[in-house]
Amino acid sequence: YSGGRWHVFYTGTDGNLWRMGYVSSPSLFDMKSEPRRFMNSLNGGGYFCAPQVFNFPAKGRWFLIYQSGLGATYSTNTSVSNYNGWAAGRTMGFNDGIDFWCIADNSYVYC
């Protein structure tokens, strides 16, 4: 929840590949009527799934952690509501495991 809206990142399919989607709404009850958008700007290989998003004030950015053709992947954005503003996916340096989850303190992020 940020800026008076709920921001939901989810795994879905475009009919061929697994993709991440985004939907936003001021009310959870109205979420079903809001448009869904596939996140095409990530450029991380053949699929994108299992998203986690969080704000990391130490870097002044939002981070999106997910699985992709690159393995453990992240993208950054200055605004969680700008679904086309996510940087192209960057590898986190490992590709084993699934459904990565990260936590952060005031200085570091741990996966």
Side-chain angles (χ1 to χ4, degrees), residues 15-37:
N16 292 318
L17 298 171
W18 289 104
R19 299 283 185 210
M20 277 195 309
Y22 170 79
V23 62
S24 176
S25 177
S27 165
L28 290 176
F29 297 106
D30 296 330
M31 189 75 66
K32 65 183 176 186
S33 63
E34 296 289 342
R36 269 84 174 140
R37 296 178 171 91

Side-chain angles (χ1 to χ4, degrees), residues 39-90:
M39 314 240 332
N40 297 323
S41 66
L42 298 175
N43 189 29
Y47 70 99
F48 311 95
C49 62
Q52 176 202 7
V53 65
F54 61 91
N55 189 311
F56 189 40
K59 295 288 185 182
R61 299 204 176 283
W62 288 86
F63 280 73
L64 182 63
I65 308 299
Y66 52 97
Q67 291 173 224
S68 80
L70 300 174
T73 308
Y74 75 95
S75 297
T76 61
N77 195 338
T78 57
S79 172
V80 70
S81 63
N82 181 2
Y83 73 95
N84 274 325
W86 293 95
R90 296 181 65 186

